[in-house]
Amino acid sequence: MKLEGRYDRNKKTLSDEDQLKLSNSCVAIVGCGGLGGYIAEQLARIGVGKLVLYDGDRFEVSNLNRQIMATELNIGQWKVEAAQERLRSVNSEVQVDVVRGWFEEKKAPDRLRDVDLVCDALDSRDSRVMLERVCHQMELPLVYASIAGWFGQLGVSLPGDLSVSRLYGHGEKGVESTWGNPAFTPAVLASLSVAETVKLLVGRTPSLRHAWLQVDLLSMEFERFEIQ
Amino acid sequence: MRVTVKLFATFRDGRFKVEEMELPEGTSVLGVIQPLNIKPEELAICLRNGKDAKEDTVLNDGDTLALFPPVGGG
């Protein structure tokens, strides 16, 4: 539905030209849980023309504490399909394609053909490293974020950077397995991811290339570290 | 020698945020994390003066060590 004034409050943060660039852009969001749900919601609201959502899970009761697309009424539904329905009611001008399954390296070249940028909203360290490898092979920019408890990390990896593999290539299972993920952490990290995503889509310089932001919502400290 | 140790995220739980430690010459990263009950496999990112370091990296007087646990959720 074309609604007059839908993007009025995007001005003057975004120029008319920026808005047009967003409407001509396609973003793949890999993972549609805590982070991915909020990322999809915001990219649809701000006016990105096409979204491709990946997730192989259905909603469970334990998702209700933080996943914006989860409601009591859609428990058991595929996450990507629930997201597609919600986004249709938020902004029907946005084309939302969904993949009911996990991101697979061998299918990526076909699925990501029309994509301009990828948002990493995965929940395992190995799959993040694989996603970065695929993005670099396809010359696609990647905005990555991860969360655990009160904490999060995010950054931008452009082809050749290998930032994700540097940050997520070592160590055992993430501390989210014991600290969980409360409502506020995915919302914050998703918003930061979307800010970097929008900059890249409209042609501005991202702030977190060759660096990552360490977010601590317990002490309210946001610290930037260079990846040297 | 004196080394500043900074802990991040869940590593601060029951420990500290930043502490200056007096250590014997030749102490490695492992020699710092072991007394803190941080296992090498729990360490996702380790920076010495802002650059990647490993468990066996030997520290120097005046170094700053920053230690991060793996944060992988989505």
Side-chain angles (χ1 to χ4, degrees):
Chain A
M1 192 191 301
K2 200 92 180 162
L3 295 174
E4 197 65 36
R6 180 189 292 277
Y7 301 120
D8 277 1
R9 294 297 181 274
N10 284 353
K11 297 174 187 170
K12 107 181 207 185
T13 302
L14 297 174
S15 66
D16 290 342
E17 193 189 348
D18 292 338
Q19 195 68 56
L20 190 63
K21 282 181 188 166
L22 291 185
S23 72
N24 290 327
S25 297
C26 175
V27 174
I29 302 164
V30 184
C32 200
L35 287 171
Y38 280 110
I39 291 171
E41 173 94 7
Q42 292 184 27
L43 291 179
R45 286 188 187 273
I46 206 164
V48 170
K50 185 178 170 188
L51 301 175
V52 184
L53 312 180
Y54 277 84
D55 204 295
D57 267 345
R58 296 168 182 268
F59 278 123
E60 299 171 12
V61 174
S62 64
N63 300 146
L64 287 169
N65 81 318
R66 68 193 185 285
Q67 299 192 15
I68 183 76
M69 303 296 175
T71 71
E72 292 181 4
L73 300 177
N74 64 23
I75 301 301
Q77 193 179 357
W78 291 97
K79 290 184 178 182
V80 289
E81 290 185 352
Q84 189 180 38
E85 277 175 27
R86 177 179 165 100
L87 297 179
R88 198 176 289 137
S89 68
V90 167
N91 188 348
S92 58
E93 292 177 31
V94 177
Q95 183 187 335
V96 181
D97 291 354
V98 302
V99 179
R100 287 181 311 191
W102 301 113
F103 185 82
E104 288 180 64
E105 196 163 0
K106 62 177 189 295
K107 291 184 185 166
D110 190 40
R111 291 239 162 93
L112 297 182
R113 201 185 305 126
D114 300 327
V115 166
D116 300 299
L117 181 148
V118 176
C119 288
D120 165 5
L122 286 160
D123 62 0
S124 89
R125 296 156 53 73
D126 292 346
S127 56
R128 291 176 190 283
V129 174
M130 182 267 279
L131 180 61
E132 182 185 58
R133 186 169 63 237
V134 171
C135 287
H136 289 188
Q137 281 163 2
M138 299 191 64
E139 298 280 314
L140 288 173
L142 173 70
V143 179
Y144 59 90
S146 66
I147 52 171
W150 297 88
F151 315 103
Q153 297 173 329
L154 99 141
V156 169
S157 176
L158 300 188
D161 289 354
L162 297 176
S163 307
V164 172
S165 113
R166 291 274 295 278
L167 294 184
Y168 299 95
H170 313 282
E172 55 181 15
K173 199 169 166 53
V175 291
E176 64 280 2
S177 55
T178 44
W179 289 75
N181 286 311
F184 43 81
T185 314
V188 170
L189 272 293
S191 298
L192 297 170
S193 288
V194 169
E196 286 295 83
T197 297
V198 167
K199 286 180 214 168
L200 283 159
L201 293 176
V202 302
R204 286 175 180 252
T205 307
S207 307
L208 293 172
R209 188 182 181 195
H210 301 309
W212 88 91
L213 192 67
Q214 183 76 21
V215 174
D216 183 332
L217 300 176
L218 192 56
S219 61
M220 284 298 173
E221 290 170 330
F222 289 60
E223 200 168 342
R224 175 196 169 99
F225 292 89
E226 305 304 316
I227 300 177
Q228 301 183 25
Chain B
M1 64 175 182
R2 294 188 82 77
V3 170
T4 303
V5 178
K6 292 183 174 179
L7 301 180
F8 291 88
T10 53
F11 280 166
R12 291 179 181 175
D13 190 46
R15 298 191 185 92
F16 55 85
K17 183 169 146 184
V18 56
E19 206 168 274
E20 205 169 79
M21 292 184 173
E22 186 66 48
L23 299 166
E25 293 293 327
T27 301
S28 65
V29 170
L30 199 62
V32 171
I33 65 171
Q34 272 179 336
L36 294 173
N37 284 323
I38 295 172
K39 298 185 194 113
E41 62 269 24
E42 292 175 314
L43 194 58
I45 308 165
C46 172
L47 302 179
R48 184 184 67 151
N49 303 329
K51 292 189 175 166
D52 275 339
K54 297 194 169 112
E55 295 160 38
D56 56 1
T57 302
V58 174
L59 302 171
N60 295 320
D61 186 45
D63 278 355
T64 296
L65 200 60
L67 306 172
F68 304 80
V71 170

